[in-house]
mmCIF file of all heavy atoms in Angstrom:
data_model
loop_
_atom_site.group_PDB
_atom_site.id
_atom_site.type_symbol
_atom_site.label_atom_id
_atom_site.label_comp_id
_atom_site.label_asym_id
_atom_site.label_seq_id
_atom_site.Cartn_x
_atom_site.Cartn_y
_atom_site.Cartn_z
ATOM 1 N N ARG A 217 8.196 12.871 7.544
ATOM 2 C CA ARG A 217 7.315 13.630 6.772
ATOM 3 C C ARG A 217 6.384 12.801 5.967
ATOM 4 O O ARG A 217 6.784 11.718 5.457
ATOM 5 C CB ARG A 217 8.035 14.565 5.829
ATOM 6 C CG ARG A 217 8.821 15.702 6.466
ATOM 7 C CD ARG A 217 9.824 16.256 5.531
ATOM 8 N NE ARG A 217 11.120 15.696 5.786
ATOM 9 C CZ ARG A 217 12.107 15.700 4.897
ATOM 10 N NH1 ARG A 217 11.956 16.059 3.710
ATOM 11 N NH2 ARG A 217 13.270 15.156 5.219
ATOM 12 N N TYR A 219 4.107 13.157 2.504
ATOM 13 C CA TYR A 219 3.850 13.982 1.286
ATOM 14 C C TYR A 219 2.683 13.417 0.560
ATOM 15 O O TYR A 219 2.475 12.171 0.509
ATOM 16 C CB TYR A 219 5.016 13.988 0.364
ATOM 17 C CG TYR A 219 6.216 14.825 0.777
ATOM 18 C CD1 TYR A 219 7.253 14.261 1.556
ATOM 19 C CD2 TYR A 219 6.361 16.114 0.343
ATOM 20 C CE1 TYR A 219 8.353 15.019 1.941
ATOM 21 C CE2 TYR A 219 7.481 16.879 0.702
ATOM 22 C CZ TYR A 219 8.471 16.324 1.489
ATOM 23 O OH TYR A 219 9.538 17.081 1.867
ATOM 24 N N GLN A 221 1.288 13.237 -3.393
ATOM 25 C CA GLN A 221 1.728 13.489 -4.746
ATOM 26 C C GLN A 221 0.594 13.139 -5.698
ATOM 27 O O GLN A 221 0.219 12.005 -5.884
ATOM 28 C CB GLN A 221 2.962 12.678 -5.137
ATOM 29 C CG GLN A 221 3.487 12.991 -6.526
ATOM 30 C CD GLN A 221 4.683 12.211 -6.926
ATOM 31 O OE1 GLN A 221 4.995 11.171 -6.374
ATOM 32 N NE2 GLN A 221 5.447 12.744 -7.903
ATOM 33 N N GLY A 226 4.630 17.340 -8.536
ATOM 34 C CA GLY A 226 5.618 17.147 -7.483
ATOM 35 C C GLY A 226 4.941 16.884 -6.151
ATOM 36 O O GLY A 226 3.802 17.330 -5.917
ATOM 37 N N SER A 229 4.134 18.660 0.897
ATOM 38 C CA SER A 229 4.205 18.215 2.287
ATOM 39 C C SER A 229 2.831 18.341 2.976
ATOM 40 O O SER A 229 2.130 19.345 2.845
ATOM 41 C CB SER A 229 5.240 19.085 3.010
ATOM 42 O OG SER A 229 5.339 18.719 4.381
ATOM 43 N N ILE A 232 4.934 17.116 9.161
ATOM 44 C CA ILE A 232 6.315 16.788 9.558
ATOM 45 C C ILE A 232 6.392 16.687 11.043
ATOM 46 O O ILE A 232 5.796 17.484 11.777
ATOM 47 C CB ILE A 232 7.309 17.906 9.011
ATOM 48 C CG1 ILE A 232 8.747 17.504 9.331
ATOM 49 C CG2 ILE A 232 6.952 19.268 9.477
ATOM 50 C CD1 ILE A 232 9.770 18.333 8.559
ATOM 51 N N THR A 234 8.934 15.578 14.533
ATOM 52 C CA THR A 234 10.187 15.231 15.112
ATOM 53 C C THR A 234 9.975 14.145 16.224
ATOM 54 O O THR A 234 8.848 13.739 16.483
ATOM 55 C CB THR A 234 10.870 16.461 15.699
ATOM 56 O OG1 THR A 234 10.027 16.984 16.735
ATOM 57 C CG2 THR A 234 11.098 17.498 14.676
ATOM 58 N N GLU A 237 7.254 14.680 18.891
ATOM 59 C CA GLU A 237 5.818 14.879 18.493
ATOM 60 C C GLU A 237 5.260 13.507 18.126
ATOM 61 O O GLU A 237 5.821 12.788 17.290
ATOM 62 C CB GLU A 237 5.754 15.833 17.279
ATOM 63 C CG GLU A 237 6.285 17.202 17.560
ATOM 64 C CD GLU A 237 6.432 18.011 16.311
ATOM 65 O OE1 GLU A 237 7.216 17.576 15.394
ATOM 66 O OE2 GLU A 237 5.849 19.101 16.226
ATOM 67 N N LYS A 240 0.173 14.892 14.672
ATOM 68 C CA LYS A 240 0.068 16.177 14.041
ATOM 69 C C LYS A 240 -0.999 16.143 12.997
ATOM 70 O O LYS A 240 -1.121 15.166 12.239
ATOM 71 C CB LYS A 240 1.416 16.609 13.451
ATOM 72 C CG LYS A 240 1.419 18.052 12.919
ATOM 73 C CD LYS A 240 2.800 18.479 12.578
ATOM 74 C CE LYS A 240 3.508 19.051 13.829
ATOM 75 N NZ LYS A 240 4.753 19.710 13.477
ATOM 76 N N SER A 281 25.024 12.883 5.512
ATOM 77 C CA SER A 281 24.754 13.763 4.359
ATOM 78 C C SER A 281 23.363 14.401 4.480
ATOM 79 O O SER A 281 22.973 15.235 3.654
ATOM 80 C CB SER A 281 24.783 12.941 3.086
ATOM 81 O OG SER A 281 23.786 11.928 3.135
ATOM 82 N N TYR A 282 22.600 14.070 5.524
ATOM 83 C CA TYR A 282 21.244 14.623 5.729
ATOM 84 C C TYR A 282 20.330 14.296 4.537
ATOM 85 O O TYR A 282 19.358 15.005 4.298
ATOM 86 C CB TYR A 282 21.283 16.114 5.916
ATOM 87 C CG TYR A 282 21.884 16.532 7.264
ATOM 88 C CD1 TYR A 282 23.248 16.729 7.435
ATOM 89 C CD2 TYR A 282 21.061 16.674 8.377
ATOM 90 C CE1 TYR A 282 23.773 17.036 8.652
ATOM 91 C CE2 TYR A 282 21.585 17.049 9.616
ATOM 92 C CZ TYR A 282 22.945 17.247 9.709
ATOM 93 O OH TYR A 282 23.428 17.577 10.942
ATOM 94 N N PRO A 284 17.394 12.373 2.961
ATOM 95 C CA PRO A 284 16.216 11.649 3.495
ATOM 96 C C PRO A 284 16.036 10.311 2.726
ATOM 97 O O PRO A 284 16.527 10.144 1.632
ATOM 98 C CB PRO A 284 15.046 12.566 3.250
ATOM 99 C CG PRO A 284 15.492 13.448 2.111
ATOM 100 C CD PRO A 284 16.965 13.610 2.228
ATOM 101 N N PHE A 286 13.206 7.710 1.290
ATOM 102 C CA PHE A 286 11.848 7.756 0.801
ATOM 103 C C PHE A 286 11.257 6.367 0.817
ATOM 104 O O PHE A 286 11.918 5.364 0.432
ATOM 105 C CB PHE A 286 11.770 8.298 -0.656
ATOM 106 C CG PHE A 286 11.981 9.735 -0.744
ATOM 107 C CD1 PHE A 286 13.252 10.334 -0.604
ATOM 108 C CD2 PHE A 286 10.914 10.592 -1.023
ATOM 109 C CE1 PHE A 286 13.408 11.726 -0.702
ATOM 110 C CE2 PHE A 286 11.069 11.935 -1.161
ATOM 111 C CZ PHE A 286 12.324 12.514 -0.986
ATOM 112 N N TYR B 53 15.770 14.007 -8.407
ATOM 113 C CA TYR B 53 15.281 12.618 -8.231
ATOM 114 C C TYR B 53 14.646 12.180 -9.561
ATOM 115 O O TYR B 53 14.172 12.951 -10.359
ATOM 116 C CB TYR B 53 14.161 12.586 -7.148
ATOM 117 C CG TYR B 53 14.596 12.834 -5.753
ATOM 118 C CD1 TYR B 53 14.601 14.139 -5.259
ATOM 119 C CD2 TYR B 53 15.052 11.806 -4.931
ATOM 120 C CE1 TYR B 53 14.996 14.376 -3.928
ATOM 121 C CE2 TYR B 53 15.492 12.034 -3.640
ATOM 122 C CZ TYR B 53 15.438 13.349 -3.143
ATOM 123 O OH TYR B 53 15.847 13.569 -1.859
ATOM 124 N N GLN B 55 11.706 9.393 -10.944
ATOM 125 C CA GLN B 55 10.588 8.577 -10.544
ATOM 126 C C GLN B 55 10.040 7.800 -11.704
ATOM 127 O O GLN B 55 9.702 8.325 -12.752
ATOM 128 C CB GLN B 55 9.462 9.446 -9.934
ATOM 129 C CG GLN B 55 8.317 8.669 -9.279
ATOM 130 C CD GLN B 55 7.333 9.614 -8.643
ATOM 131 O OE1 GLN B 55 7.020 10.667 -9.114
ATOM 132 N NE2 GLN B 55 6.800 9.156 -7.471
ATOM 133 N N LEU B 63 17.428 9.043 -5.874
ATOM 134 C CA LEU B 63 18.276 10.230 -5.874
ATOM 135 C C LEU B 63 19.363 10.111 -6.900
ATOM 136 O O LEU B 63 20.096 9.135 -6.992
ATOM 137 C CB LEU B 63 18.919 10.390 -4.457
ATOM 138 C CG LEU B 63 19.849 11.598 -4.297
ATOM 139 C CD1 LEU B 63 19.001 12.889 -4.386
ATOM 140 C CD2 LEU B 63 20.513 11.527 -2.902
ATOM 141 N N TYR B 66 22.902 15.482 -5.697
ATOM 142 C CA TYR B 66 22.487 16.515 -4.761
ATOM 143 C C TYR B 66 23.661 17.483 -4.565
ATOM 144 O O TYR B 66 24.818 17.129 -4.748
ATOM 145 C CB TYR B 66 21.982 15.980 -3.435
ATOM 146 C CG TYR B 66 23.003 15.234 -2.601
ATOM 147 C CD1 TYR B 66 23.689 15.859 -1.545
ATOM 148 C CD2 TYR B 66 23.316 13.930 -2.829
ATOM 149 C CE1 TYR B 66 24.575 15.174 -0.789
ATOM 150 C CE2 TYR B 66 24.209 13.188 -2.082
ATOM 151 C CZ TYR B 66 24.838 13.827 -1.041
ATOM 152 O OH TYR B 66 25.761 13.173 -0.283
ATOM 153 N N GLN B 68 24.803 20.532 -1.667
ATOM 154 C CA GLN B 68 24.514 21.159 -0.369
ATOM 155 C C GLN B 68 25.084 22.597 -0.286
ATOM 156 O O GLN B 68 24.782 23.315 0.693
ATOM 157 C CB GLN B 68 24.995 20.282 0.756
ATOM 158 C CG GLN B 68 24.292 18.960 0.825
ATOM 159 C CD GLN B 68 24.760 18.072 1.972
ATOM 160 O OE1 GLN B 68 25.911 18.139 2.336
ATOM 161 N NE2 GLN B 68 23.868 17.252 2.472
ATOM 162 N N LEU B 108 12.139 15.004 -10.802
ATOM 163 C CA LEU B 108 11.785 15.954 -9.801
ATOM 164 C C LEU B 108 12.977 16.646 -9.190
ATOM 165 O O LEU B 108 13.961 15.979 -8.864
ATOM 166 C CB LEU B 108 10.987 15.270 -8.685
ATOM 167 C CG LEU B 108 9.563 14.843 -9.021
ATOM 168 C CD1 LEU B 108 9.024 13.812 -8.058
ATOM 169 C CD2 LEU B 108 8.665 16.096 -8.993
ATOM 170 N N PRO B 115 22.133 21.366 5.404
ATOM 171 C CA PRO B 115 22.631 20.935 6.736
ATOM 172 C C PRO B 115 23.408 21.993 7.493
ATOM 173 O O PRO B 115 23.692 21.809 8.677
ATOM 174 C CB PRO B 115 23.563 19.779 6.358
ATOM 175 C CG PRO B 115 24.051 20.165 4.954
ATOM 176 C CD PRO B 115 22.850 20.799 4.316
ATOM 177 N N TYR B 121 13.390 22.021 10.884
ATOM 178 C CA TYR B 121 13.298 20.878 9.931
ATOM 179 C C TYR B 121 14.086 21.211 8.675
ATOM 180 O O TYR B 121 13.973 22.295 8.138
ATOM 181 C CB TYR B 121 11.822 20.623 9.577
ATOM 182 C CG TYR B 121 10.826 20.617 10.680
ATOM 183 C CD1 TYR B 121 9.889 21.623 10.807
ATOM 184 C CD2 TYR B 121 10.822 19.548 11.586
ATOM 185 C CE1 TYR B 121 8.953 21.619 11.801
ATOM 186 C CE2 TYR B 121 9.882 19.562 12.605
ATOM 187 C CZ TYR B 121 8.978 20.576 12.732
ATOM 188 O OH TYR B 121 8.040 20.563 13.746
ATOM 189 N N GLU B 123 13.354 20.562 5.776
ATOM 190 C CA GLU B 123 12.290 20.028 4.901
ATOM 191 C C GLU B 123 12.597 20.318 3.432
ATOM 192 O O GLU B 123 13.056 21.376 3.061
ATOM 193 C CB GLU B 123 10.965 20.680 5.288
ATOM 194 C CG GLU B 123 9.785 20.172 4.554
ATOM 195 C CD GLU B 123 8.485 20.805 5.051
ATOM 196 O OE1 GLU B 123 8.554 21.611 5.949
ATOM 197 O OE2 GLU B 123 7.448 20.441 4.470
ATOM 198 N N GLN B 124 12.266 19.321 2.590
ATOM 199 C CA GLN B 124 12.444 19.455 1.171
ATOM 200 C C GLN B 124 11.168 19.979 0.538
ATOM 201 O O GLN B 124 10.045 19.569 0.869
ATOM 202 C CB GLN B 124 12.767 18.093 0.521
ATOM 203 C CG GLN B 124 14.195 17.626 0.768
ATOM 204 C CD GLN B 124 14.451 16.311 0.059
ATOM 205 O OE1 GLN B 124 13.592 15.435 0.055
ATOM 206 N NE2 GLN B 124 15.640 16.134 -0.508
ATOM 207 N N PHE B 126 9.437 20.504 -3.332
ATOM 208 C CA PHE B 126 9.563 19.917 -4.642
ATOM 209 C C PHE B 126 9.030 20.839 -5.717
ATOM 210 O O PHE B 126 8.093 21.598 -5.509
ATOM 211 C CB PHE B 126 8.884 18.584 -4.756
ATOM 212 C CG PHE B 126 9.608 17.460 -4.039
ATOM 213 C CD1 PHE B 126 9.425 17.245 -2.715
ATOM 214 C CD2 PHE B 126 10.495 16.657 -4.739
ATOM 215 C CE1 PHE B 126 10.094 16.230 -2.025
ATOM 216 C CE2 PHE B 126 11.145 15.613 -4.086
ATOM 217 C CZ PHE B 126 10.948 15.426 -2.726
ATOM 218 N N GLY B 127 9.671 20.758 -6.899
ATOM 219 C CA GLY B 127 9.161 21.423 -8.060
ATOM 220 C C GLY B 127 8.063 20.622 -8.702
ATOM 221 O O GLY B 127 7.767 19.496 -8.243
ATOM 222 N N PRO B 128 7.477 21.106 -9.786
ATOM 223 C CA PRO B 128 6.381 20.393 -10.425
ATOM 224 C C PRO B 128 6.753 19.192 -11.303
ATOM 225 O O PRO B 128 5.886 18.409 -11.697
ATOM 226 C CB PRO B 128 5.712 21.524 -11.281
ATOM 227 C CG PRO B 128 6.795 22.432 -11.574
ATOM 228 C CD PRO B 128 7.700 22.403 -10.423
#
Side-chain angles (χ1 to χ4, degrees):
Chain A
R217 290 163 262 158
Y219 285 89
Q221 184 180 21
S229 181
I232 181 167
T234 60
E237 298 169 301
K240 187 168 275 191
S281 62
Y282 289 89
F286 285 74
Chain B
Y53 292 92
Q55 188 174 38
L63 183 64
Y66 64 99
Q68 294 181 330
L108 285 161
Y121 312 111
E123 184 176 1
Q124 286 182 321
F126 285 86

